[in-house]
């Protein structure tokens, strides 16, 4: 797997101090949607908190995330023992064969989730519902992940505007009713004061689909706080350990704490950093803050260097 581009909304370091990077206030519709979800399920419920990266094939992580000398074929095994979720972008470019899906499922432990990006031959062709056979093939294949499937997500192109929402409605109608889909839009007309437009919000609410929230410095308009359902995927685009990465992570932990208390059932939080250099460190910071804020016990990544040093000290 290769890293994904972080050019969307990218700004230079000097520009970061000129941007308001605070999270906007909640959309009131979010509170209503979360309350509805909470009221509709049993009292005993443990929310799912997934944390990870957009890639596992980073050779530079050997000796840090992976043991020194780890071969590429074993990266996923070690990644899935360090983090409990992955934003799976390779599926955007081709449908994996059945053997690959089986290997992914069998390589990873219970509780690990693949959050699968929809095939671009579907998401970036017009109309959306035109490739019905390809959509069925894609869905059937990734359903082979079974309990390892988290949220699938479709990233619609920047030119996809509110006028094309009937296409999205027809596309969703092709999917299995219980298929876990989150939708990411980028056209400015979908956002008003950091909230999703009513038509899109209502469509996702009525079809029981979810949203992707992208937090990136150069496109603050797309940073919305509208949850039409009780699951969400957050794509956090950092800036190589700039101090604002830390303050934004703290803000997200606090906001997710609020949403979890209101009734959020599932969050999948993915950290993007330039060339994925600092991704593990930012994930570790997020896990620390979530454990502190929410009283949960997410496993924290421990660098292999540190493990080696500790074992030597204990000799």
């Amino acid at each position: 797997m290769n890293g994904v581009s972080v050019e969307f909304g990218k700004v230079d370091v000097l520009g970061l101090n000129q941007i308001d990077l605070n999270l906007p206030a909640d959309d009131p519709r979010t509170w209503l949607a979360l309350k509805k979800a909470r009221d509709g399920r049993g009292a005993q419920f443990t929310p799912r908190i997934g944390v990870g990266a957009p890639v596992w094939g980073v050779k530079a992580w050997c000796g840090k995330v992976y043991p020194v000398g780890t071969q590429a074929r074993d990266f996923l095994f070690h990644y899935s023992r360090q983090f409990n979720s992955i934003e799976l972008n390779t599926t955007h470019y081709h449908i994996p064969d059945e053997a690959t899906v089986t290997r992914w499922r069998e390589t990873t432990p219970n509780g690990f989730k693949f959050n699968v990006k929809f095939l671009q031959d579907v998401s970036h062709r017009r109309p959306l519902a035109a490739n019905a056979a390809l959509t069925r093939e894609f869905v059937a294949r990734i359903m082979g992940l079974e309990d390892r499937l988290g949220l699938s997500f479709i990233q619609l192109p920047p030119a996809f505007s509110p006028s094309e929402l009937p296409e999205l409605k027809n596309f969703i109608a092709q999917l299995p009713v219980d298929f876990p889909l989150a939708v990411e839009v980028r056209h400015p007309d979908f956002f008003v004061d950091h909230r999703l437009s009513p038509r899109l919000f209502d469509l996702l609410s009525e079809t029981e689909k979810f949203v992707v929230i992208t937090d990136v410095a150069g496109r603050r308009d797309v940073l919305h706080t509208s949850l039409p359902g009780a699951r969400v995927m957050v794509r956090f685009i950092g800036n190589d350990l700039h101090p604002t990465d830390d303050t934004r992570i703290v803000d997200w932990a606090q906001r997710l704490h609020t949403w979890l208390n209101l009734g959020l059932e599932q969050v999948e939080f993915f950290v993007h950093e330039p060339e994925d250099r600092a991704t593990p460190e930012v994930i570790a910071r997020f896990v620390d803050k979530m454990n502190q804020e929410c009283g949960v016990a997410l496993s924290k990544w421990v660098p292999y260097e540190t493990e080696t040093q500790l074992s030597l000290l204990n000799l």
Side-chain angles (χ1 to χ4, degrees), residues 225-280:
T225 58
S226 303
L227 304 189
R231 305 181 196 179
V232 65
M233 178 175 171
V234 178
R235 303 176 72 243
F236 177 92
I237 316 298
N239 294 285
D240 226 1
L241 296 183
H242 187 275
T244 56
D245 282 3
D246 189 65
T247 56
R248 290 164 62 206
I249 283 291
V250 171
D251 284 350
W252 267 113
Q254 293 171 345
R255 184 60 56 90
L256 290 171
H257 185 201
T258 298
W259 289 351
L260 289 163
N261 285 338
L262 289 170
L264 187 66
E265 297 174 358
Q266 178 180 0
V267 56
E268 304 291 340
F269 191 96
F270 298 108
V271 173
H272 296 243
E273 290 285 344
E275 299 180 16
D276 302 297
R277 289 184 298 262
T279 297

Side-chain angles (χ1 to χ4, degrees), residues 1 15 27 30 63 73 84 86 98 118 132-133 140 146 176 182 185 235 245 251 263 266 269 278:
M1 291 176 61
D27 181 342
T30 290
R73 64 177 178 271
N84 69 351
I86 183 77
E98 187 174 351
F118 226 93
E146 300 176 0
V185 291
R235 303 176 72 243
D245 282 3
D251 284 350
Q266 178 180 0
F269 191 96

Side-chain angles (χ1 to χ4, degrees), residues 1-312:
M1 291 176 61
N2 296 319
V4 295
S5 171
V6 293
E7 293 304 314
F8 172 71
K10 184 176 177 60
V11 298
D12 60 44
V13 173
L14 294 177
L16 289 174
N17 296 326
Q18 309 302 316
I19 300 171
D20 181 359
L21 295 173
N22 294 310
L23 288 177
D26 275 345
D27 181 342
R29 296 172 299 179
T30 290
W31 291 44
L32 295 174
L34 294 179
K35 182 180 184 301
K36 179 180 177 181
R38 184 183 60 197
D39 292 347
R41 63 175 182 255
Q44 299 298 320
F45 182 82
T46 301
R48 151 84 187 178
I49 303 173
V51 188
V55 61
W56 67 67
V58 183
K59 293 180 180 179
W61 289 356
C62 287
K64 184 164 76 167
V65 177
Y66 313 138
V68 173
T70 299
Q71 299 298 305
R73 64 177 178 271
D74 297 320
F75 283 172
L76 176 59
F77 175 90
H78 292 287
Y79 175 95
S80 63
R81 271 78 182 167
Q82 293 274 28
F83 312 117
N84 69 351
S85 206
I86 183 77
E87 179 187 317
L88 190 64
N89 288 282
T90 187
T91 51
H92 189 55
Y93 305 104
H94 66 273
I95 299 176
D97 59 35
E98 187 174 351
T100 297
V101 171
T102 299
R103 184 174 70 254
W104 288 344
R105 186 184 69 240
E106 294 180 349
T107 297
T108 53
N110 291 335
F112 185 85
K113 301 293 184 184
F114 293 87
N115 297 268
V116 181
K117 190 172 186 178
F118 226 93
L119 191 69
Q120 66 178 352
D121 285 344
V122 173
S123 63
H124 285 59
R125 300 288 174 85
R126 302 275 76 81
L128 272 176
N131 292 317
L134 199 58
T135 296
R136 287 194 298 271
E137 180 185 358
F138 180 84
V139 169
R141 186 60 49 78
I142 67 169
M143 291 292 280
L145 288 167
E146 300 176 0
D147 64 342
R148 303 296 197 271
L149 177 61
L151 290 173
S152 179
F153 70 106
I154 184 167
Q155 186 182 82
L156 296 173
F160 189 95
S161 72
S163 66
E164 296 167 287
L165 278 178
E167 284 190 31
L168 180 59
K169 182 176 181 179
N170 291 337
F171 168 75
I172 290 174
Q174 294 180 347
L175 303 174
V177 173
D178 59 349
F179 184 72
L181 181 74
V183 176
E184 180 181 8
V185 291
R186 294 182 170 183
H187 195 287
D189 290 350
F190 278 115
F191 309 97
V192 180
D193 295 330
H194 300 287
R195 299 175 183 177
L196 285 184
S197 64
R199 288 178 60 206
L200 176 56
F201 187 97
D202 292 345
L203 171 60
L204 297 177
S205 178
E206 291 163 3
T207 57
E208 298 184 349
K209 302 307 178 190
F210 311 102
V211 290
V212 176
I213 299 175
T214 300
D215 182 351
V216 61
R219 281 291 305 273
R220 302 315 282 169
D221 59 322
V222 305
L223 178 58
H224 66 86
T225 58
S226 303
L227 304 189
R231 305 181 196 179
V232 65
M233 178 175 171
V234 178
R235 303 176 72 243
F236 177 92
I237 316 298
N239 294 285
D240 226 1
L241 296 183
H242 187 275
T244 56
D245 282 3
D246 189 65
T247 56
R248 290 164 62 206
I249 283 291
V250 171
D251 284 350
W252 267 113
Q254 293 171 345
R255 184 60 56 90
L256 290 171
H257 185 201
T258 298
W259 289 351
L260 289 163
N261 285 338
L262 289 170
L264 187 66
E265 297 174 358
Q266 178 180 0
V267 56
E268 304 291 340
F269 191 96
F270 298 108
V271 173
H272 296 243
E273 290 285 344
E275 299 180 16
D276 302 297
R277 289 184 298 262
T279 297
E281 287 80 3
V282 178
I283 291 174
R285 177 61 170 156
F286 177 73
V287 168
D288 274 344
K289 292 306 299 180
M290 288 297 290
N291 288 343
Q292 293 170 17
E293 288 286 337
C294 306
V296 293
L298 297 176
S299 296
K300 182 179 177 180
W301 158 64
V302 178
Y304 273 93
E305 291 180 324
T306 303
E307 288 185 340
T308 301
Q309 292 164 3
L310 288 174
S311 66
L312 291 173

